[in-house]
Amino acid sequence: MSFITKSPWIVHYDGSSCNGCDIEVLACLTPMYDVERFGIINTGNPKHADIFLITGYVNTQNVDVIKNIYRKMPDPKVVVAIGICASTGNFFRECYNALGGVDTIIPVDVYVPGCAARPEAIIDGVVKALGILDQKKNKTYVAPVKPEGVII
Amino acid sequence: MPKRTIIPFGPQHPVLPEPIHLDIAIRDEKVVEAIPSLGFIHRGLELLVDKKDFNDMCFVAERICGICSFIHGQGYCQGIEEIMNVQVPDRAKYLRTIWAELSRIHSHILWLGLAADAAGFESLFMHSWRVREKVLDIFEETTGGRVIFGVNKVGGVKRDIENDVLKRIVGTLKDMEAEFKPLANVFIDDYSIKHRFSNVGMLSKEDAYKLGAVGPVLRGSGVSIDARKLGYAAYKELNFEPIVENSCDCYARTIVRVREVYQSVDLIKQAVDKIPDGPIDQKVTGSPNGEFFSRLEQPRGEVVYYMRGNGTKNLDRYRVRTPTFSNIAPLVKMLEGCELADVPVIILTIDPCISCTER
């Protein structure tokens, strides 16, 4: 954990998830899991945030909201897709208004699997995001290439 | 007359875990009108009946909402069982009741935490969620999941809880109740909570009934309606009365939820005492043919499912009327004439579950 040199703040947005992952994200902030020990605070303002936690897949209604929040965050920034819906769309990708996972509209750095994602997995994802944030600051980050046509 | 100003509220807002957008028209600091716009998490789940067969739809129904997921699955299964004339074993009915009541406890404590957070009482939020983790541990032990369980199926339940585990659960709930009591007393007696919640967001008894409020919003306005009294699952064999408060404000709705936590603990104790031994599921053959309205009481109020089968694997129509959807009209009524600073608190007291509303 010695690589943490700053207190990253997170902004959380519910794309179109079922709430399950959202309450797990909130559970991470509360005494049982307590990510505040890493200096992580949930802020409502994207302009204060370093890490963007997003749950749920993208639909035609919320695509502008997600892009807007992403644009308002200052660089360097990391996007963490929480849960299987945000990663790939889950079975909701068969719904008539679904565009797919979050990576269809903004670049995603960390994928956290699970339905609903467990708090341990979310914390692990956020800690990985901290490493990426550091690399982005030093401009040493190389984005992994996503294999074409692979559905996890 | 001061000028009319429109303040946008949401979709991304610190007090809301989920996106809802309200255009709040104010003159000075008084709200004159609130115009909700929905659809940010609309998924079109009801249309998935074309693609999933009626057994798989149970898992889709659970994912309507992560907070009341179990009761959604239960409502779907009860409806299909009714259409297909499946006799569900008594033990499965009792297990469903126990899980549903545990869901209610976890949802209400979650809401109490969020309400404390909206009122600016951060430590109360943290402590409420600490107590709630005990209930989630029970879920994890008995079903394997923390928020989405997948234990319901058409014809019964998938997992049994052994009798000694059930006894242990009652013991854990007693501990939880003891820890919850000091927190509940803060909600009931604390000066700042009372100051923030009392006489805010008034909804008269007549308005609540006419506008179709459900659940704690309706019961906080003095109307004694609780869908559990219909006697589905094991409720007809359990002894309870709907909890009603008469002060019609945000404080009343909070107290209803605090008292319902105690009531749910009591219901689980009764259910564990009465649970019969036996099988937990019934084999189901064939496909549903017919239609049924299924009504249940969720933590947020009454939910109505309509389903129609045509004798094939896929249902013809599946419709869910969720409690938050019914509570939006009363919410707009409550917001009229309140102070702008009270808007977050009032929105929170209907316990908005937007995923449910938009499906």
Side-chain angles (χ1 to χ4, degrees):
Chain A
M1 299 306 294
S2 57
F3 61 83
I4 299 180
T5 50
K6 68 177 284 180
S7 298
W9 285 16
I10 58 170
V11 61
H12 163 232
Y13 182 73
D14 173 355
S16 43
S17 86
C18 70
N19 251 344
C21 297
D22 303 291
I23 55 176
E24 294 295 56
V25 167
L26 281 182
C28 291
L29 301 162
T30 50
M32 179 83 177
Y33 296 98
D34 193 20
V35 290
E36 273 190 34
R37 64 203 149 113
F38 304 131
I40 298 168
I41 291 177
N42 186 18
T43 169
N45 189 344
K47 290 189 176 170
H48 297 169
D50 306 295
I51 300 178
F52 184 13
L53 299 187
I54 178 151
T55 56
Y57 69 90
V58 180
N59 65 21
T60 40
Q61 182 86 336
N62 66 24
V63 53
D64 290 337
V65 183
I66 294 170
K67 277 185 184 165
N68 208 3
I69 295 173
Y70 183 74
R71 266 199 304 269
K72 282 191 176 154
M73 288 171 65
D75 280 327
K77 55 194 163 192
V78 181
V79 178
V80 184
I82 307 275
I84 192 70
C85 298
S87 305
T88 65
N90 202 0
F91 61 73
F92 294 129
R93 63 173 172 262
E94 294 173 17
C95 292
Y96 71 97
N97 63 349
L99 299 182
V102 178
D103 52 6
T104 49
I105 54 164
I106 55 173
V108 175
D109 301 293
V110 183
Y111 297 87
V112 177
C115 178
R118 302 177 72 81
E120 292 90 343
I122 297 173
I123 294 172
D124 191 38
V126 171
V127 170
K128 281 208 166 64
L130 294 180
I132 294 176
L133 193 68
D134 219 33
Q135 288 173 20
K136 282 192 173 173
K137 205 168 89 189
N138 303 331
K139 301 208 165 57
T140 53
Y141 178 65
V142 185
V145 184
K146 198 184 168 198
E148 284 288 319
V150 174
I151 295 168
I152 307 161
Chain B
M1 194 80 171
K3 230 178 107 195
R4 184 181 151 112
T5 317
I6 299 231
I7 298 202
F9 186 95
Q12 196 265 334
H13 190 276
V15 73
L16 296 170
E18 301 169 87
I20 178 174
H21 180 82
L22 288 164
D23 279 320
I24 296 170
I26 55 168
R27 287 188 207 280
D28 281 347
E29 286 282 298
K30 283 260 184 276
V31 176
V32 287
E33 199 184 0
I35 307 154
S37 60
L38 300 168
F40 291 97
I41 32 182
H42 172 63
R43 285 157 288 172
L45 280 173
E46 291 164 354
L47 270 176
L48 277 181
V49 286
D50 291 344
K51 293 172 183 158
K52 305 272 177 198
D53 75 33
F54 73 96
N55 282 317
D56 290 351
M57 267 309 281
C58 174
F59 304 114
V60 178
E62 285 206 336
R63 280 159 182 80
I64 291 175
C65 166
I67 305 177
C68 23
S69 65
F70 181 81
I71 304 182
H72 275 302
Q74 185 189 2
Y76 175 81
C77 292
Q78 283 181 192
I80 297 286
E81 285 153 6
E82 202 68 38
I83 294 175
M84 298 175 71
N85 269 329
V86 178
Q87 289 301 320
V88 182
D90 280 347
R91 191 174 175 86
K93 285 186 180 171
Y94 271 88
L95 287 173
R96 280 181 182 172
T97 311
I98 290 168
W99 274 315
E101 288 307 314
L102 283 168
S103 301
R104 197 179 315 278
I105 296 174
H106 119 77
S107 171
H108 279 346
I109 299 182
L110 176 145
W111 178 84
L112 288 167
L114 290 179
D117 195 34
F121 207 146
E122 182 99 0
S123 55
L124 193 53
F125 162 63
M126 292 289 183
H127 280 292
S128 303
W129 281 58
R130 178 177 55 78
V131 173
R132 173 180 162 266
E133 287 290 339
K134 281 207 159 52
V135 185
L136 295 189
D137 287 346
I138 297 176
F139 283 142
E140 200 167 348
E141 184 184 348
T142 54
T143 69
R146 277 168 55 91
V147 288
I148 298 214
F149 318 139
V151 284
N152 260 316
K153 69 171 184 182
V154 177
V157 291
K158 284 188 167 175
R159 283 177 189 235
D160 198 357
I161 312 179
E162 283 163 20
N163 284 337
D164 50 335
V165 177
L166 282 172
K167 296 226 164 55
R168 187 146 45 82
I169 287 173
V170 172
T172 316
L173 285 176
K174 269 188 196 145
D175 294 350
M176 190 220 75
E177 206 177 356
E179 279 190 48
F180 177 68
K181 204 154 191 150
L183 298 179
N185 290 340
V186 175
F187 282 103
I188 295 168
D189 293 331
D190 186 72
Y191 170 79
S192 35
I193 291 276
K194 267 191 181 169
H195 185 72
R196 204 67 212 276
F197 287 179
S198 289
N199 295 323
V200 171
M202 300 300 284
L203 182 72
S204 67
K205 191 173 176 177
E206 291 73 34
D207 281 342
Y209 190 78
K210 258 193 248 159
L211 293 169
V214 290
V217 179
L218 184 64
R219 294 196 284 278
S221 290
V223 185
S224 170
I225 293 182
D226 191 326
R228 283 177 288 177
K229 275 283 168 199
L230 294 171
Y232 64 87
Y235 287 111
K236 59 179 171 296
E237 289 153 37
L238 305 178
N239 188 15
F240 71 103
E241 281 306 316
I243 284 167
V244 178
E245 289 283 330
N246 290 312
S247 58
C248 304
D249 51 3
C250 292
Y251 182 69
R253 285 163 224 144
T254 313
I255 300 304
V256 167
R257 291 188 177 106
V258 168
R259 288 175 56 200
E260 281 191 0
V261 172
Y262 294 127
Q263 187 191 41
S264 294
V265 174
D266 181 52
L267 281 172
I268 293 170
K269 278 182 200 158
Q270 289 184 35
V272 170
D273 286 342
K274 288 186 179 170
I275 189 166
D277 287 326
I280 54 163
D281 61 346
Q282 172 75 38
K283 198 169 167 20
V284 177
T285 48
S287 297
N289 192 358
E291 59 180 351
F292 189 67
F293 272 104
S294 167
R295 289 167 68 201
L296 291 91
E297 183 76 9
Q298 271 194 349
R300 288 164 184 73
E302 185 179 325
V303 61
V304 182
Y305 301 85
Y306 169 71
M307 48 208 94
R308 188 174 70 221
N310 54 3
T312 61
K313 282 266 170 215
N314 294 338
L315 293 180
D316 242 6
R317 181 81 171 95
Y318 171 49
R319 164 106 177 96
V320 190
R321 205 263 356 236
T322 52
T324 309
F325 188 75
S326 325
N327 278 338
I328 284 186
L331 169 70
V332 171
K333 178 81 183 167
M334 283 179 225
L335 286 174
E336 278 170 21
C338 75
E339 298 278 334
L340 181 64
D342 289 332
V343 169
V345 172
I346 295 176
I347 292 179
L348 231 89
T349 53
I350 70 159
D351 200 352
C353 180
I354 313 299
S355 323
C356 278
T357 314
E358 301 179 351
R359 304 177 295 281

